Amino acid sequence: MFGIDQISWGQFGTFILILLALWYLSVILMAIAHQARFKRNHPFEEDQATSFAPENLRPIAVSSLDLPSQLIPFSLEMAIALPVSFYEETGLDEGYAISCFARPNDSRLPAILEQVQYQQ
C-alpha cells in the first residue's frame, strides 16, 4: 500500500535531510529579507520619533513654598537620644582541647556541656 515497503531507510533518511535543509534555507532567507526591509541606521535610543519626544512640553518651576510646611520639617523640636552599647572585653577565650570531648570519662566534661548548647 502506497509503496512504503519499497522505500529503503537510506532513501527515507535522504528525503528527511532534504526537507530539513529546505526548511532551514527558507527560514534563513526570510530572516535576511526581513532584516533588509527594516534596516535602521541608528539605534532606538538615538531615534528622534515625535511620539517619544513631543515638543509641547514645557518645564515648570516648583518651590518649597508651594508645599505645606508639615511635609517639610525645618528642625526637630526635641533631641532624640541615640543608645550606644560598648563592646566589653571579657578576656581571651582559649576554648577546650579536643581531648576533653574525646574521652567520655573526663571529669571536666559535665561542667563543659552545661555551658555549651549541643544536640544529641
Side-chain angles (χ1 to χ4, degrees):
M1 182 174 161
F2 303 119
I4 293 178
D5 55 345
Q6 298 173 358
I7 298 176
S8 68
W9 282 107
Q11 290 175 338
F12 179 71
T14 305
F15 175 72
I16 294 295
L17 286 177
I18 290 173
L19 278 180
L20 283 174
L22 289 175
W23 170 256
Y24 283 117
L25 181 65
S26 66
V27 168
I28 290 171
L29 289 177
M30 283 178 35
I32 291 172
H34 184 70
Q35 182 181 11
R37 187 172 36 160
F38 294 110
K39 184 93 175 159
R40 287 189 152 188
N41 295 333
H42 47 80
F44 175 76
E45 289 82 6
E46 298 173 2
D47 194 6
Q48 298 297 324
T50 58
S51 63
F52 296 115
E55 296 179 10
N56 58 356
L57 295 179
R58 291 176 300 187
I60 58 170
V62 178
S63 172
S64 62
L65 298 175
D66 297 336
L67 301 172
S69 61
Q70 290 83 15
L71 294 177
I72 305 173
F74 180 73
S75 64
L76 297 174
E77 296 177 4
M78 61 181 181
I80 299 175
L82 299 176
V84 178
S85 62
F86 293 104
Y87 173 75
E88 295 180 9
E89 183 68 32
T90 59
L92 183 63
D93 183 16
E94 296 178 4
Y96 299 102
I98 293 288
S99 61
C100 294
F101 300 101
R103 287 182 261 141
N105 298 338
D106 195 347
S107 62
R108 296 177 289 173
L109 190 60
I112 293 172
L113 292 179
E114 286 178 3
Q115 300 172 1
V116 177
Q117 295 181 3
Y118 67 99
Q119 187 175 15
Q120 290 182 341

